[in-house]
Amino acid sequence: MMASSYKDEDGHITVSGSGAAAGGGGGSLRSKKPENTAFKQQRLPAWQPILTAGTVLPAFFIIGLMFIPIGIGLYVTSNNIKEFEVDYTGVEMSSPCFTCSQNFSWNSTKPCTCSVPFHLDQPYESNVFMYYGLSNFYQNHRRYVKSRDDSQLNGNEESLRKPSKECEPYAKSNNKPIAPCGAIANSMFNDSLELIYIDPNGTKVQIPLTATGIAWWTDKHVKFRNPGAENTNLTVVFQGTTRPVNWRRPVFQLDSDPDNNGFINEDFIVWMRTAALPTFRKLYRIIQRRSNVHPTLPRGNYTLEVVYNYPVRSFEGRKRMILSTISWMGGKNPFLGIAYVSVGSVCFLLGVLLLIIHHKYGNRNNAAEISH
Amino acid sequence: MKFGGDEGRVHSRTIYVGHKSCPPNEAYIPPKFCDNRIVSSKYTVWNFLPKNLFEQFRRIANFYFLIIFLVQVIVDTPTSPVTSGLPLFFVITVTAVKQGYEDWLRHKADREVNEYRVSVLEDGRRIRKMSAKIKVGDIVEVEEDETFPCDLILLQSSRDDGTCFVTTASLDGESNHKTHYTVADLESDLQYLSATIECEQPQPDLYKFVGRMHIYRNSQEPDVRSLGPENLLLKGANLKNTQKICGVAVYTGMETKMALNYQGKSQKRSAVEKSINAFLLVYLFILVSKALVCTTLKYVWQSKHDETWYNEKTQKEKETNQYLKMFTDFLSFMVLFNFIIPVSMYVTVEMQKFLGSFFITWDKDFFDPEIQEGALVNTSDLNEELGQVEYIFTDKTGTLTQNNMEFIECCIDGFQYKHGDGSSELDGFCVTDGPVNKIQQKAGREREELFLRALCLCHTVQVKESTKQRQDQNDQFDQIDQVDGLGLDHGFLDPPQKEMGFIASSPDEIALVKGAMRYGFTFLGLESKNMKILNRNKDVETYELLHVLNFDPVRRRMSVMVRSKTGDILLFCKGADSSIFPQVRQEEVERIRMHVERNATEGYRTLCVAYKHLSAQEYARADADLREARLALQDREEKLMAVYNRVETDMILIGATAVEDQLQDEAAQTMEALQGAGMKVWVLTGDKMETAKSTCYACGLFKKNTELLELTLRTLEDGGRSREERLHDLLLEYHKKAVQDAPPVKLGITRSWSVAGHDYGFIIDGASLSMVLSSSSEPNSRRYKNLFLQICQNCTSVLCCRMAPLQKAQIVKLVKNSKGNPITLSIGDGANDVSMILEAHVGIGIKGKEGRQAVKNSDYAIPKLKHLKKLLLAHGHLYYVRIAHLVQYFFYKNLCFILPQFLYQFFCGYSQQPLYDAAYLTMYNICFTSMPILAYSLLEQHICIEVLLEHSTLYRDIAKNAMLRWKLFLYWTALGIFHGLVFFFGVRFLFSNPALQDNGQVFGNWSYGTIVFTVLVFTVTLKLALDTRHWTWINHFVIWGSLAFYVFFSFFWGGIIWPFLKHQRLYFVFANMLSSVSAWLVIILLILLSLLPEILLVVLRKPRGPHARQKKSSAGDPQSPQSPARPLLTRTFSDESNTVI
């Protein structure tokens, strides 16, 4: 009876019901048929792209044809950007700042000033951006990068009184907490630069410099906050703290403008954004274009008036002042243009090459098939 | 492990049944044995944490990451400990949770077992006790369908013949019923039983037990009974068909055979894993050298750049010792670059293996409707190894053949009796057809009946009662029903007997009994030592069963001694021809030998049947010898064997039987595909050479033009010289033929055999093999081994017959350790294949009829041989490609991740300043780039499954670990270096003027890192996209999802002042980056530039034309399911074998 019932099933149909009855002896048997789903059977519908010369060739041409114009555009844009650089480190004897750099001492109370004359060959039409550049200054050194207390800079009162350990050895001086603490803040660039245009007729005209708008908006308005929320009297707020050892003024005297003083001083914020490479530039001032008639900086003679506070000779650094116009791609940098043109041309050439190979290979293939 | 300690102890233990002193007047000292608590769990609540952590950190990789983590905690390092601590913590926690859960399940199971209530007889009363409280010597009562709580000696059964039935499914997986016997002649009331049992110390072999029972009665000399495995009921087995039994506990708790067998299998490591380790070493070397270079340069640099005023050292730094500082600097660099060896790779590889193996279990092509089961994966560590197999060792019976026995014909006194429709095929000397009862005076009626009685008596088959049938239908009956069905069809049985079923451990015994039934002799069963036969005249004959001389693989025969009604004592013996012929009177042999050999060449399993009359004295002596041998505590096996051999001599040969073992479905196609895939198939069987050879022909392993090189006893004994000399000559001769004269083997993947016009097949038997392997002199033996291996490796197929299980493993080991360490696979279905399954790199078990031991010990189990094709050609191939790509990709992506970090050191004064933010460092491997590769490594089908199955040669493309060779590894490494350089220097040149925004504002170091990182994430992901050949929606989702997630995360991470962070480095960095056109342009440029060579290579690479094209056509029609009623291959197979021989 049992045998015959089994025979009927012809080995196909599941043994109905008896599977459960068998439980006692063969509990370990799993008589479950695998589900026939596309996923479990590895039969999910799939797109199976096959990269062949045929499909890739147009891509090469398209890339080539797109990149070369972009590259040319970039290159032209970069070339149109006017940039002027003055090194005022004062290493050479001839340099006007030589004395200042030689006689530098941290304790001197009298600021050393020097003026560096220079000549602009071309007028600068649009807004001009004034940068200071430092070389051989390792702002990206690890000990330096981490030597800051972001919560102190964010206006946290507790961190103001108790700077983070990361700030060592610039956390405390004379048992008072340093505000702002850390190596970065301590080494803030404090040369002051003034630009004076010398009229063809000899009169000196001071170029007005804007000190705002040089830092990231989010930094100025969110990341950097003065302590003591609405208390505008920064002198009171910073009471009990001391200035960084290398600073000449406390942090609440960085600027007379209350919106640009203390931690939210933009020079300070710019300096706090550590540079990626040991040679870097930082935005110092903006020279706004005044009128449509006159260029922002007419061609002619200028002097750069420097209050020389920042020593770089000890580490063989250099200081530069850079005047630059800006385009949609930023400052002057021919790299992108060149790179785009080269990659574009390589793609194009490869495309041509592949086309030839493909053509020949295809032909040979066909010939072979015919000969068979 | 427990066992080693036992050596020093006494060899046997004494058990007092029911804790009664024996003999009664002696003082009873309760012996100490362990209690019956089963502890399979590894941990307790208290030791879980330390023990688990200890075990996890014993893994070299985990330990390495722990060290890195500790370094980060202790030394002032550039990256926070979180970056490596979090992934490590994650890995450790997941593993711990998994192991903890598994252990909790074990605890639960243990508790269930230990708290299970059992009945124990104490002083005549039944007491319910917790199973854990059972002590050795307790008399335990077990009812039907209950599980034995410990190892018991069966004392009493509710069945009147003193037997009980058990199934041992949970022990060895065999679902058939086994008969166990009570100790003979015991008191019916166990309360008054006073006895001791002396038995061996616990040992794990399930099938071995020796013991002795002393029964004390009224201060006489104690009666002694022998105890064997047939008296022992094992813990874990189930009582069946028997209302209840009583037994005395002999082994309890952790000393039961089940507990002793509870041990993990040895871990097998795959070739891919070895490659990973090699690559890891390379990367470790890169890592250390990078750190060394940086440390050295740091101090060179520092000697030039003194401490600057703007960046003074802290007090602590100034005070530390210079050398200590150098060392901590070195460690810091190690930490900074350690991402090159990512924790996540281990996690991903493990996940890939674990999840990937589900596809094997899920595959409906592996589902066998007959046994209602699909494939089984016992280990997921070896998935990819399935794609690397070079040698396949297969068992014959049950693997190549179905082990579905059918009685085909018999030969009595040299006359052939063939049953059924096949009569027309008979030739020559054979005259008879049709059932015996119809006609023919070929053999005397006497002899016929004697032969049939022999068939009916000489076996260990049990008759299954009809009342019990329904319960057990499912498992036991599939092996008999077909034969049963045949019987029914021919209407030989009376209606009431239709419901009769037989149970036996070996299917050929059933086939023989069924065969006898077909000729009119029906075995009715065994009732209290009396075997009943229904003869042709429908009379019941009764024989008293005196002794069963069990079958064993060495003797290869079994016998029974019976006493007929008339008092004659008869011995019936059946066994392999080679083991019977020497034991019988020679005059009969020749006539029957012809039949046997002819049957064997047709692929039938032949057994010879002999008998012998025993005189009263002879019997008395044999009886005494047997009893004595059975009582021996030591060397019982050997002693029994000697007695058996003494008794089984001088017999009279009556006839031979031929049982057909049908080929498995699609055996030939499977073998052809495997050979096409470049695998060499060796058949290792215990069977006769002729049978095995014809199976080989049928499976297409040997072809018509295959020249067979034979190294068997037969060829060795030719020529009259000593075997040793002959062996030497033959080996040299074959070596010359197969190796030296063969066309030079092409180096590399493809072997010459497919090209060469001449195929060789090699046949060796067990005896010759042992001569080869253990030749008398050591140098010779090594030389022979080498010659043998070389010959074998140059032959298309090798057949090793008459192999003992251990020899099978020996061969596998020999090949495994031969030159080039080829990957081996063993496939088998029986207990005799376990050794070779365990030995080979990959062990496959067939869910066959010979129990489940092979399945239990295998790495993968499949229901049928034909499934091997898909398992290797499709699953194996894909898994290998997937994991190989996974490994290479992981190394690549971490190399180009860390290289910019390394290069950045040259620009930051070797100060260990990280280029990327800590969040990016941590998340890179965990979130941003892990999912696409995982999806790829689970779903990729670079060639679709149908094509893989159709073109078995594709398998050769990946042979010899082709995708993880050093050349490819170098390619990937070079690619990683190229990408790293492009990323870093591309951005470096961009940053020569950091004023990148149209408002003149400048970018700092974190913007630099973020741009590099963005390029990195996109490139690495798109590179994978380029490699993906099989885009399912999951791939799309995961690849584009990862990129989207990266962008989203970056916005999120930089969008908030995180109160718990010390640094707000990334605040709006990403958003500002995106506001810069230059940044966009450079990102696009660098991604494209990095991928350019890759695209170029893809184009230039030889197109996989044919497969790609055929894909479309074959994808449409999934392989038509093979109908189970497919004509069996036997016909072609016998045709072919006829033409060949």
Side-chain angles (χ1 to χ4, degrees), chain B residues 257-309:
Chain B
K257 287 185 184 288
M258 185 180 87
L260 290 173
N261 270 286
Y262 182 81
Q263 59 200 16
K265 280 178 290 167
S266 67
Q267 274 254 301
K268 291 182 183 175
R269 299 239 159 258
S270 74
V272 168
E273 224 166 316
K274 284 171 201 149
S275 296
I276 295 180
N277 287 338
F279 296 166
L280 268 182
L281 280 185
V282 173
Y283 270 62
L284 197 65
F285 174 74
I286 294 180
L287 170 65
V288 170
S289 45
K290 270 182 177 177
L292 274 179
V293 164
C294 281
T295 318
T296 321
L297 287 176
K298 174 171 183 162
Y299 284 87
V300 172
W301 185 82
Q302 275 186 352
S303 66
K304 271 190 259 165
H305 296 71
D306 218 7
E307 194 183 353
T308 50
W309 64 265

Coordinates of all heavy atoms in Angstrom, one line a residue, chain B residues 257-309:
Chain B
K257 N 29.3 7.9 23.8 CA 29.9 8.0 22.4 C 29.5 9.2 21.7 O 30.3 9.7 20.9 CB 29.6 6.7 21.7 CG 30.3 5.5 22.3 CD 30.1 4.2 21.5 CE 30.8 3.0 22.1 NZ 32.2 3.0 21.9
M258 N 28.3 9.6 21.9 CA 27.8 10.8 21.2 C 28.7 12.0 21.6 O 29.2 12.8 20.7 CB 26.4 11.1 21.5 CG 25.8 12.3 20.7 SD 24.1 12.6 21.0 CE 24.3 13.7 22.3
A259 N 28.9 12.2 22.9 CA 29.7 13.3 23.3 C 31.1 13.3 22.8 O 31.7 14.3 22.4 CB 29.6 13.4 24.8
L260 N 31.7 12.0 22.8 CA 33.0 11.9 22.4 C 33.2 12.2 20.9 O 34.2 12.5 20.4 CB 33.5 10.5 22.7 CG 33.7 10.2 24.1 CD1 34.1 8.7 24.3 CD2 34.9 11.0 24.7
N261 N 32.0 12.0 20.2 CA 32.1 12.2 18.7 C 31.8 13.7 18.4 O 31.9 14.1 17.3 CB 31.1 11.4 18.0 CG 31.7 10.1 17.6 OD1 32.5 10.1 16.6 ND2 31.4 9.0 18.3
Y262 N 31.4 14.4 19.4 CA 31.1 15.8 19.2 C 32.4 16.6 19.1 O 32.9 17.0 20.1 CB 30.2 16.3 20.4 CG 29.8 17.7 20.2 CD1 28.7 18.0 19.3 CD2 30.4 18.7 20.8 CE1 28.3 19.3 19.2 CE2 30.0 20.0 20.6 CZ 29.0 20.3 19.8 OH 28.6 21.6 19.6
Q263 N 32.9 16.7 18.0 CA 34.1 17.6 17.8 C 34.1 18.2 16.5 O 33.6 17.6 15.5 CB 35.3 16.7 18.1 CG 35.4 15.6 17.1 CD 36.3 14.5 17.6 OE1 36.7 14.5 18.8 NE2 36.8 13.6 16.7
G264 N 34.6 19.4 16.4 CA 34.7 20.1 15.1 C 35.6 19.4 14.2 O 36.5 18.7 14.6
K265 N 35.3 19.6 12.9 CA 36.2 19.1 11.9 C 37.4 20.0 11.8 O 37.3 21.1 12.2 CB 35.5 19.0 10.6 CG 34.6 17.8 10.5 CD 33.9 17.8 9.2 CE 32.8 18.9 9.1 NZ 32.3 19.1 7.8
S266 N 38.4 19.4 11.3 CA 39.6 20.3 11.2 C 39.3 21.3 10.1 O 38.6 21.1 9.1 CB 40.8 19.4 10.7 OG 40.6 18.9 9.5
Q267 N 39.9 22.5 10.3 CA 39.6 23.6 9.4 C 40.4 23.4 8.1 O 41.5 23.0 8.1 CB 40.1 24.9 10.1 CG 39.0 25.5 10.9 CD 38.4 26.7 10.3 OE1 39.1 27.6 10.0 NE2 37.1 26.6 10.0
K268 N 39.7 23.6 7.0 CA 40.3 23.5 5.7 C 40.5 25.0 5.3 O 39.6 25.8 5.4 CB 39.5 22.8 4.7 CG 39.4 21.3 5.0 CD 38.6 20.6 3.9 CE 38.5 19.1 4.2 NZ 37.6 18.5 3.2
R269 N 41.6 25.3 4.7 CA 41.9 26.6 4.3 C 41.9 26.6 2.7 O 42.5 25.7 2.1 CB 43.2 27.1 4.8 CG 43.3 27.2 6.3 CD 43.6 28.7 6.7 NE 43.1 28.9 8.1 CZ 42.0 29.5 8.4 NH1 41.2 30.0 7.5 NH2 41.7 29.6 9.7
S270 N 41.4 27.6 2.1 CA 41.3 27.6 0.7 C 42.6 28.2 0.1 O 43.3 28.9 0.8 CB 40.1 28.3 0.2 OG 40.3 29.7 0.4
A271 N 42.8 28.0 -1.2 CA 44.0 28.5 -1.8 C 43.9 30.0 -1.9 O 44.9 30.7 -1.7 CB 44.1 28.0 -3.2
V272 N 42.7 30.5 -2.0 CA 42.5 32.0 -2.0 C 43.0 32.6 -0.7 O 43.6 33.6 -0.7 CB 41.0 32.3 -2.3 CG1 40.8 33.8 -2.0 CG2 40.7 32.0 -3.7
E273 N 42.7 31.9 0.4 CA 43.1 32.4 1.7 C 44.6 32.4 1.8 O 45.1 33.4 2.4 CB 42.5 31.5 2.8 CG 41.9 32.4 3.9 CD 41.0 31.6 4.8 OE1 40.2 30.8 4.2 OE2 41.2 31.7 6.0
K274 N 45.2 31.4 1.2 CA 46.7 31.5 1.2 C 47.2 32.6 0.4 O 48.2 33.3 0.8 CB 47.2 30.1 0.7 CG 47.1 29.0 1.7 CD 47.4 27.7 1.1 CE 46.8 26.5 1.9 NZ 46.5 25.4 1.0
S275 N 46.5 32.9 -0.7 CA 47.0 34.1 -1.5 C 46.8 35.3 -0.7 O 47.7 36.2 -0.7 CB 46.1 34.1 -2.8 OG 46.4 33.0 -3.6
I276 N 45.6 35.4 -0.1 CA 45.4 36.6 0.7 C 46.5 36.8 1.7 O 47.1 37.9 1.9 CB 44.1 36.5 1.5 CG1 42.9 36.5 0.5 CG2 43.9 37.7 2.5 CD1 41.6 36.4 1.2
N277 N 46.9 35.7 2.4 CA 48.0 35.9 3.4 C 49.3 36.3 2.7 O 50.0 37.1 3.3 CB 48.1 34.6 4.1 CG 47.0 34.3 5.1 OD1 46.3 35.3 5.5 ND2 46.7 33.1 5.4
A278 N 49.6 35.8 1.5 CA 50.8 36.2 0.9 C 50.7 37.7 0.5 O 51.7 38.4 0.7 CB 51.0 35.4 -0.4
F279 N 49.6 38.1 0.0 CA 49.4 39.5 -0.4 C 49.5 40.4 0.9 O 50.1 41.5 0.9 CB 48.1 39.8 -1.0 CG 47.9 39.1 -2.3 CD1 46.7 39.0 -2.9 CD2 49.0 38.5 -3.0 CE1 46.5 38.3 -4.1 CE2 48.9 37.9 -4.2 CZ 47.6 37.8 -4.8
L280 N 49.0 39.9 2.0 CA 49.0 40.7 3.2 C 50.5 40.9 3.6 O 50.8 42.0 4.1 CB 48.3 39.9 4.3 CG 46.8 40.2 4.5 CD1 46.3 39.4 5.7 CD2 46.7 41.7 4.8
L281 N 51.3 39.9 3.4 CA 52.7 40.0 3.8 C 53.3 41.1 2.9 O 54.1 42.0 3.4 CB 53.4 38.7 3.6 CG 53.2 37.7 4.7 CD1 54.1 36.5 4.4 CD2 53.6 38.3 6.0
V282 N 53.0 41.1 1.6 CA 53.5 42.2 0.8 C 53.1 43.5 1.3 O 53.9 44.5 1.4 CB 53.0 42.0 -0.7 CG1 53.4 43.2 -1.5 CG2 53.5 40.7 -1.2
Y283 N 51.8 43.6 1.6 CA 51.3 44.9 2.1 C 51.9 45.3 3.4 O 52.1 46.5 3.7 CB 49.8 44.9 2.1 CG 49.3 45.4 0.8 CD1 49.5 44.7 -0.4 CD2 48.5 46.6 0.6 CE1 49.1 45.1 -1.6 CE2 48.1 47.0 -0.6 CZ 48.4 46.2 -1.7 OH 47.9 46.7 -2.9
L284 N 52.1 44.3 4.3 CA 52.7 44.6 5.5 C 54.1 45.1 5.3 O 54.6 46.1 6.0 CB 52.8 43.3 6.4 CG 53.0 43.5 7.9 CD1 51.8 44.2 8.4 CD2 53.2 42.2 8.5
F285 N 54.8 44.5 4.3 CA 56.1 45.0 4.0 C 56.0 46.5 3.5 O 56.8 47.3 3.9 CB 56.7 44.1 2.9 CG 58.0 44.6 2.4 CD1 59.2 44.5 3.1 CD2 58.1 45.1 1.1 CE1 60.4 44.9 2.7 CE2 59.3 45.6 0.7 CZ 60.4 45.5 1.4
I286 N 55.1 46.7 2.6 CA 54.9 48.1 2.1 C 54.7 49.0 3.3 O 55.3 50.1 3.4 CB 53.7 48.2 1.1 CG1 54.1 47.4 -0.1 CG2 53.4 49.6 0.8 CD1 52.9 47.4 -1.1
L287 N 53.8 48.6 4.2 CA 53.4 49.4 5.3 C 54.7 49.7 6.2 O 54.9 50.9 6.5 CB 52.4 48.7 6.1 CG 52.0 49.2 7.5 CD1 51.4 50.6 7.3 CD2 51.1 48.3 8.2
V288 N 55.4 48.7 6.5 CA 56.6 48.9 7.4 C 57.6 49.8 6.7 O 58.2 50.7 7.3 CB 57.2 47.5 7.8 CG1 58.5 47.7 8.5 CG2 56.2 46.8 8.7
S289 N 57.8 49.5 5.4 CA 58.8 50.3 4.7 C 58.4 51.8 4.6 O 59.2 52.7 4.7 CB 59.2 49.7 3.4 OG 58.1 49.3 2.7
K290 N 57.1 52.0 4.4 CA 56.6 53.3 4.3 C 56.9 54.0 5.7 O 57.4 55.2 5.7 CB 55.1 53.3 4.1 CG 54.7 53.4 2.6 CD 53.2 53.4 2.6 CE 52.7 53.6 1.1 NZ 51.2 53.5 1.1
A291 N 56.6 53.3 6.7 CA 56.7 53.9 8.0 C 58.2 54.2 8.3 O 58.6 55.2 8.8 CB 56.2 53.0 9.1
L292 N 59.1 53.2 7.9 CA 60.5 53.4 8.1 C 61.0 54.6 7.3 O 61.8 55.4 7.8 CB 61.2 52.1 7.6 CG 61.3 51.0 8.7 CD1 62.0 49.8 8.1 CD2 62.1 51.6 9.9
V293 N 60.6 54.7 6.0 CA 61.1 55.8 5.2 C 60.7 57.1 5.8 O 61.5 58.0 6.0 CB 60.4 55.7 3.8 CG1 60.5 57.0 3.0 CG2 61.1 54.5 3.0
C294 N 59.4 57.2 6.3 CA 58.9 58.4 6.8 C 59.7 58.8 8.1 O 60.0 59.9 8.3 CB 57.4 58.3 7.1 SG 56.5 58.6 5.6
T295 N 59.9 57.8 9.0 CA 60.6 58.0 10.2 C 62.0 58.6 9.9 O 62.4 59.6 10.5 CB 60.7 56.8 11.1 OG1 59.4 56.1 11.0 CG2 61.0 57.1 12.5
T296 N 62.7 57.9 9.0 CA 64.0 58.3 8.7 C 64.0 59.8 8.2 O 64.7 60.6 8.7 CB 64.6 57.4 7.6 OG1 64.2 56.1 7.9 CG2 66.1 57.5 7.6
L297 N 63.2 60.0 7.2 CA 63.1 61.3 6.6 C 62.7 62.4 7.6 O 63.2 63.5 7.6 CB 62.1 61.3 5.4 CG 62.6 60.6 4.2 CD1 61.6 60.5 3.1 CD2 63.9 61.3 3.7
K298 N 61.9 62.0 8.6 CA 61.5 62.9 9.6 C 62.7 63.4 10.3 O 62.8 64.6 10.6 CB 60.5 62.3 10.5 CG 60.1 63.2 11.7 CD 59.0 62.7 12.5 CE 58.7 63.7 13.6 NZ 57.4 63.5 14.2
Y299 N 63.6 62.5 10.7 CA 64.7 63.0 11.5 C 65.7 63.7 10.6 O 66.4 64.6 11.1 CB 65.3 61.8 12.3 CG 64.4 61.5 13.4 CD1 63.3 60.7 13.3 CD2 64.5 62.2 14.6 CE1 62.4 60.5 14.3 CE2 63.6 62.0 15.7 CZ 62.6 61.2 15.5 OH 61.7 61.0 16.6
V300 N 65.8 63.3 9.4 CA 66.7 64.1 8.4 C 66.1 65.5 8.3 O 66.9 66.5 8.4 CB 66.7 63.4 7.1 CG1 67.4 64.3 6.1 CG2 67.4 62.0 7.2
W301 N 64.9 65.6 8.2 CA 64.2 66.9 8.0 C 64.4 67.7 9.2 O 64.6 68.9 9.2 CB 62.7 66.6 7.7 CG 62.0 67.9 7.3 CD1 62.0 68.6 6.1 CD2 61.1 68.6 8.2 NE1 61.2 69.7 6.2 CE2 60.6 69.7 7.5 CE3 60.8 68.5 9.5 CZ2 59.8 70.7 8.0 CZ3 59.9 69.4 10.1 CH2 59.4 70.5 9.3
Q302 N 64.2 67.1 10.4 CA 64.2 67.8 11.6 C 65.6 68.3 11.9 O 65.8 69.4 12.5 CB 63.8 66.9 12.8 CG 62.3 66.9 12.9 CD 61.8 66.2 14.1 OE1 62.6 65.5 14.8 NE2 60.5 66.3 14.4
S303 N 66.6 67.6 11.4 CA 68.0 68.1 11.6 C 68.2 69.4 10.8 O 69.0 70.3 11.2 CB 69.0 67.1 11.2 OG 68.9 66.9 9.8
K304 N 67.5 69.6 9.7 CA 67.6 70.8 9.0 C 66.7 71.9 9.5 O 67.0 73.0 9.7 CB 67.3 70.6 7.5 CG 68.6 70.2 6.7 CD 68.3 70.1 5.2 CE 68.1 68.7 4.8 NZ 67.5 68.6 3.5
H305 N 65.4 71.5 9.7 CA 64.5 72.5 10.3 C 64.4 72.3 11.8 O 63.8 71.4 12.3 CB 63.1 72.2 9.7 CG 63.0 72.4 8.2 ND1 63.6 71.5 7.3 CD2 62.4 73.3 7.5 CE1 63.4 72.0 6.1 NE2 62.7 73.1 6.2
D306 N 65.0 73.2 12.4 CA 65.0 73.2 13.8 C 63.6 73.5 14.3 O 62.7 73.9 13.5 CB 66.0 74.2 14.4 CG 66.7 73.6 15.6 OD1 66.4 72.4 15.9 OD2 67.4 74.3 16.3
E307 N 63.4 73.4 15.5 CA 62.1 73.7 16.1 C 61.8 75.2 15.8 O 62.7 76.1 16.1 CB 62.1 73.5 17.6 CG 60.8 73.5 18.2 CD 61.0 73.3 19.7 OE1 62.1 73.0 20.2 OE2 60.0 73.4 20.4
T308 N 60.7 75.5 15.2 CA 60.4 76.8 14.8 C 59.7 77.6 15.9 O 59.1 76.9 16.8 CB 59.6 76.9 13.6 OG1 58.5 76.1 13.7 CG2 60.4 76.5 12.3
W309 N 59.7 78.9 15.9 CA 59.1 79.7 17.0 C 57.6 79.5 17.0 O 57.0 79.6 18.0 CB 59.5 81.1 16.9 CG 59.0 81.8 15.7 CD1 59.7 82.0 14.5 CD2 57.7 82.4 15.5 NE1 58.9 82.7 13.6 CE2 57.7 82.9 14.2 CE3 56.6 82.6 16.3 CZ2 56.6 83.6 13.6 CZ3 55.5 83.2 15.7 CH2 55.5 83.7 14.4

